[in-house]
């Protein structure tokens, strides 16, 4: 892990000391309703995308797996998962959550991918490359992912986008535009099949869910409402959006 950005590693190791869900989604959501809702959106998007590519019980990479929040859902649907992350603290949570199942967790430097060529049936990513502010480094990591995927295998990536790039979290994070994300994927050799907005960062239903004012049975309806509104509005000038990208190696 010697090549990891020390600030990034320290950031995630510090977050690993709080609740495992809050550590990898929203550390300010201490009750957990919002994080559970956002995880349900992520997990449903991954399931639906994998089904579109007919990836059933595949060998998957969860890039930046954190505390294995997404990994656990992938294991539940029969996949085998390699989870990699720069934070040993988060990986301890991952091992505790999923140890003994069909998974392996590995600490990496965040710049290189310890996976053989043509080894993976799919790769999933949830708001990880936003924390690589250097475009060349992000492109190189994406190129490594493409090489590790079997020919034609999918990369399913959810990242935060704005109408124009903006630095966030004291320089630890970069919101790229949707077009910049697409350009990065193309420059790494991917064929892009689809990009769609899953949710807006400050959609009104999210704080209502966090406060317990929207019951859990209504969450799927809230999710569909977000997707339908996003299909009309696109990325809003004053907000970020979580965008799903589907691309093939």
């Amino acid at each position: 892990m010697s090549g990891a950005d020390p600030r990034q590693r320290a950031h995630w190791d510090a977050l690993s000391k709080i609740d495992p869900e809050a550590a990898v989604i929203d550390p300010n959501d201490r009750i957990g309703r919002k994080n559970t809702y956002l995880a349900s959106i992520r997990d449903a998007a991954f399931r639906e995308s994998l089904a579109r590519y007919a990836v059933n019980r595949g060998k998957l990479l969860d890039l930046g797996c954190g505390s294995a929040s997404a990994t656990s859902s992938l294991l539940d649907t029969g996949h085998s998962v390699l989870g990699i992350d720069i934070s040993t603290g988060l990986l301890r949570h991952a091992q505790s959550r999923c140890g003994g199942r069909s998974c392996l967790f590995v600490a990496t430097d965040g710049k290189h991918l310890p996976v053989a060529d043509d080894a993976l049936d799919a790769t999933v990513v949830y708001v990880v490359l936003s924390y690589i502010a250097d475009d060349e480094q992000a492109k190189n990591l994406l190129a490594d992912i493409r090489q590790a995927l079997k020919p034609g295998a999918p990369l399913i990536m959810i990242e935060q986008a704005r109408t124009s790039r903006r630095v966030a979290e004291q320089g630890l994070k970069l919101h790229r535009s949707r077009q910049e994300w697409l350009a990065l994927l193309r420059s790494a050799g991917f064929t892009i099949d689809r990009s769609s907005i899953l949710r807006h960062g400050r959609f009104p239903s999210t704080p209502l869910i966090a406060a317990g004012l929207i019951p859990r049975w209504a969450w799927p309806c809230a999710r569909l409402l977000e997707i339908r509104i996003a299909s009309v509005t696109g990325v809003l000038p004053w907000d970020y959006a979580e965008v799903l990208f589907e691309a093939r190696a």
Side-chain angles (χ1 to χ4, degrees):
M1 289 181 62
S2 59
D5 180 338
R7 290 182 65 228
Q8 288 283 5
R9 193 192 311 166
H11 172 76
W12 293 109
D13 279 341
L15 286 174
S16 74
K17 294 177 173 59
I18 65 174
D19 176 82
E21 296 298 328
V24 295
I25 304 181
D26 182 356
N28 296 313
D29 179 36
R30 298 309 172 96
I31 295 175
R33 295 189 195 97
K34 175 184 175 183
N35 285 331
T36 302
Y37 172 64
L38 297 187
S40 74
I41 293 175
R42 174 202 63 204
D43 294 344
F46 284 164
R47 283 195 305 271
E48 291 161 10
S49 292
L50 289 167
R52 270 192 286 275
Y53 287 95
V55 178
N56 303 305
R57 298 183 179 273
K59 296 177 182 177
L60 273 54
L61 170 67
D62 185 358
L63 180 75
C65 64
S67 62
S69 175
T71 303
S72 180
S73 175
L74 295 167
L75 292 169
D76 288 343
T77 52
H79 299 289
S80 300
V81 181
L82 169 65
I84 66 171
D85 204 276
I86 65 169
S87 169
T88 54
L90 288 174
L91 289 174
R92 280 192 289 272
H93 285 305
Q95 186 62 35
S96 176
R97 189 199 298 258
C98 299
R101 302 173 73 185
S102 185
C103 57
L104 175 68
F105 298 107
V106 177
T108 72
D109 63 5
K111 299 178 181 179
H112 306 95
L113 197 63
V115 182
D117 293 355
D118 303 335
L120 301 170
D121 295 304
T123 293
V124 299
V125 183
Y126 180 66
V127 194
V128 173
L129 294 168
S130 291
Y131 286 92
I132 301 178
D134 182 271
D135 287 340
E136 190 67 18
Q137 184 182 336
K139 183 193 84 170
N140 290 340
L141 185 55
L142 283 167
D144 284 351
I145 293 169
R146 181 182 58 79
Q147 213 151 329
L149 288 165
K150 295 174 182 177
L155 165 66
I156 300 162
M157 183 174 85
I158 300 171
E159 291 290 349
Q160 294 177 349
R162 286 188 179 266
T163 52
S164 59
R165 66 166 50 202
R166 182 182 301 184
V167 175
E169 297 185 22
Q170 282 125 12
L172 289 173
K173 189 175 187 180
L174 176 65
H175 285 146
R176 295 175 172 91
S177 71
R178 195 169 176 177
Q179 290 306 312
E180 286 176 309
W181 284 117
L182 292 170
L184 267 179
L185 288 166
R186 292 190 186 100
S187 70
F190 281 97
T191 299
I192 297 161
D193 291 327
R194 186 169 184 249
S195 77
S196 59
I197 297 174
L198 295 177
R199 58 176 294 269
H200 290 111
R202 294 176 178 83
F203 196 75
S205 63
T206 308
L208 296 177
I209 286 170
L213 298 177
I214 296 179
R216 190 166 297 208
W217 60 263
W219 289 5
C221 297
R223 175 182 175 240
L224 288 175
L225 179 62
E226 288 207 55
I227 290 172
R228 287 177 182 170
I229 290 176
S231 70
V232 175
T233 63
V235 181
L236 299 169
W238 59 85
D239 196 8
Y240 72 85
E242 288 191 356
V243 181
L244 171 69
F245 298 94
E246 294 178 354
R248 281 176 289 118

